[in-house]
Amino acid sequence: MVRGLFGREEVARIAASADQVYAEGIAHRRSFRHGNLFYNVAAGADGEPHVRMAQWPSYHQSVLNRVRLDTRIVGLLEPLIGHNLKQIINQIHWKAPGALGDFAWHQDSRSRRPASAYRNLADSYVQTGIAIDPHTPDSGCMRFIPRSHLRGDLGMDCSKKVLGAAMADAALDAVGLRAADAIDLLLEPGDVALWSPYLVHGSGTNCLSHRRRFYINGYVRAEDCDRGEWAFREGRPVPLGPKPVLVHFEELHERPGPHYVD
Ligand SMILES: O=C(O)CCC(=O)C(=O)O
């Protein structure tokens, strides 16, 4: 955790940009994709739509785009993965009040597909998360299992969706970990958390009345990844090109236009 990497006014700008992206997602009322830009919209217990996540808002949202390329971030990453970096995650999470935004215990490595495109995951990839709101047990903060990243791919059950599912002790028991070892990731607005794709983590139910916001960017040593947008070359920000490149959406080139997703 890096405390206060972003100051109060910067966080206010990030928050306003996130709110703008939220309003775009809500206007669709259903999950919607245009290229790599994706809004995950789900119905809450009240039957109303909630945006749980937006991927790649930085293609059109300039404040969020500047933040993902902020040189303070490459300053943190350089000692870990170097200064030639691609980006494979650019995502905002809104944890709605209630259980809609729970994340079951998982390793992010399960989502790095196809596996052949991601090499040396243990030491080539770092996920970063900027807290926009306070992350506390009440707002369903992330929980980490310390040192679990040292055990590599644990083969956790990938058959169910992680988003919208509760953290179950049985999932940890199945891979020889213990819920009793979990620690809470407590963050204030502007703090940044960094974690490995092998770190076992999840996040709980939001018992507060506001949507907890989190801005996540995932970076990888460029030579170890065939996917993703360039982010930094020799530590200098690389602007997005005229066309999106292949990241996670396999049909990017066959189905590039806007469409709703069931
Ligand atoms: O937003 C959260 O609370 C959880 C995020 C998470 O688990 C992830 O991005 O893998």
Side-chain angles (χ1 to χ4, degrees), residues 119-260:
R119 293 172 289 280
N120 305 316
L121 267 191
D123 58 9
S124 69
Y125 179 90
V126 175
Q127 190 85 301
T128 69
I130 304 169
I132 303 175
D133 300 301
H135 288 226
T136 62
D138 279 352
S139 66
C141 64
M142 282 172 72
R143 310 202 76 209
F144 286 170
I145 304 293
R147 304 180 72 76
S148 52
H149 65 293
L150 299 175
R151 297 185 43 190
D153 185 349
L154 289 164
M156 296 180 82
D157 183 4
C158 294
S159 58
K160 300 190 190 71
K161 285 213 156 119
V162 164
L163 178 54
M167 290 180 286
D169 292 1
L172 297 179
D173 295 343
V175 295
L177 298 174
R178 293 173 354 133
D181 293 330
I183 55 167
D184 290 328
L185 180 69
L186 304 176
L187 300 173
E188 289 297 324
D191 291 350
V192 178
L194 297 91
W195 66 96
S196 152
Y198 287 133
L199 186 77
V200 175
H201 62 283
S203 74
T205 295
N206 182 1
C207 301
L208 303 181
S209 56
H210 69 270
R211 290 186 291 270
R212 188 230 63 196
R213 298 162 294 184
F214 200 28
Y215 185 29
I216 297 184
N217 290 290
Y219 302 86
V220 59
R221 187 187 296 126
E223 69 196 41
D224 278 328
C225 191
D226 300 332
R227 299 287 178 108
E229 297 282 4
W230 271 93
F232 298 100
R233 270 202 181 89
E234 301 195 342
R236 284 193 290 279
V238 181
L240 290 163
K243 288 202 168 149
V245 304
L246 204 55
V247 189
H248 295 306
F249 176 46
E250 297 297 333
E251 293 174 284
L252 179 70
H253 301 304
E254 294 75 38
R255 206 179 176 196
H259 58 275
Y260 286 99

Side-chain angles (χ1 to χ4, degrees), residues 87-98:
Q87 191 168 348
I88 61 156
I89 301 284
N90 175 242
Q91 205 155 292
I92 307 174
H93 291 178
W94 293 268
K95 192 183 273 288

